[in-house]
Amino acid sequence: MTVTEAALSADVRDRYWDALSRGDRTAAVAAALGELERGVPAIRIFDELVRPAQLEVGRQWATNSWGVAREHVATSISEDVVAALGARTAAGPARGRIVVTCVEGEWHALPARILSESLRLSGWDVSYLGASVPTPHLVSYLHDLGPDLVALSCSVSTSLQRARRMIEAARGAGVPVLAGGRGFGPDGRWALALGANGWAPDPTAALELIESDAWPSFTDQAPPLEHPDDAHVRLRAAHGDLVDATMAELARVFPPMAAYDSEQRARTVEDIGYILDFLTTALFLDDVELFTDFVGWLAEILTARGVPAAAVRLGLDALDAVLVTVTGTATGTATDVAEADWSRTRTLLACGKERVTPLTAQ
């Protein structure tokens, strides 16, 4: 049996998951290294053991089976596993230079780390920049290094406006951009819309794409984005005022909020902020599904934590009620003009309400 034909042991997934569940770093590393010693390639261990386990970690958090601290422990263990596998494996013949980075504001770095090790083991000279790299720092580094491509990771869609700036910067320097991560949407639809040269769902697909004849060695500037209006700009400018006004409106229509403790109020403010962030991003990309998918996800997350889905509907109603007045005041726009300008935003909010309404009856 050759190295490329070696498969994972029948029970290693169970052993690895048990180690993550118990927070046993030593056992998790030993399980992964044991597969490497059996002849399973590290890249295959990343794809078939570490990544699926990390998806399950996320599911455990989403269903409120695990708290944030337990999820962080499991993630840190998987990071150590990736590092251990990389340290025990020799890289292949040199092919070229790749910069791997997370989008500015993106702190979920494990997918980018796995991609970095997979590329390195395949012979690429990789510069891994880690989480949340500011665009100016990326530009400076690209000019200093002169890489063959930039691999950009994004797990949360609210970072997509910053992803666009990074794509523009890289392509402006002639460097092609490969995008990856769930933040870029199903099948990478938002990666391509933002101007990335390509998108890959996993490291194996990324390697196949950049090593194919179709991958460019040089690229021109990213094509311009067309926006039906400037609502995303004005929403972002009024973000703080909108959160405050929405909280006040919620307190008016939902008197039980008066009994909320500081933690409950902080969580509500956080959720309203997330709703605004996703609404702004959906307007930026002119994609209603980005917003409605998030609203449905938020309702499921809150329901798992004992908060009824009706709370999300209340939040959307409250935001809708204050939207025009607050944004008109914050941006110095007359209310009658603002009513027309915000029609697309109100449509997205209506779609969000429609998405969550069936959940309120469950």
Side-chain angles (χ1 to χ4, degrees), residues 79 100-110 112-113 128-134 153 166:
E79 290 172 344
V100 178
T101 184
C102 292
V103 173
E104 183 176 357
E106 176 62 68
W107 297 99
H108 298 81
L110 181 57
R113 181 65 184 275
Y128 170 62
L129 305 188
S132 190
V133 176
S153 177
M166 298 178 84

Side-chain angles (χ1 to χ4, degrees), residues 228-231 234 323-324 327 333-347:
D229 54 43
D230 64 350
R234 295 161 62 192
L323 176 70
V324 174
T327 51
T333 304
T335 302
D336 57 342
V337 176
E339 286 282 2
D341 288 353
W342 290 107
S343 61
R344 189 167 64 105
T345 308
R346 302 289 285 273
T347 298

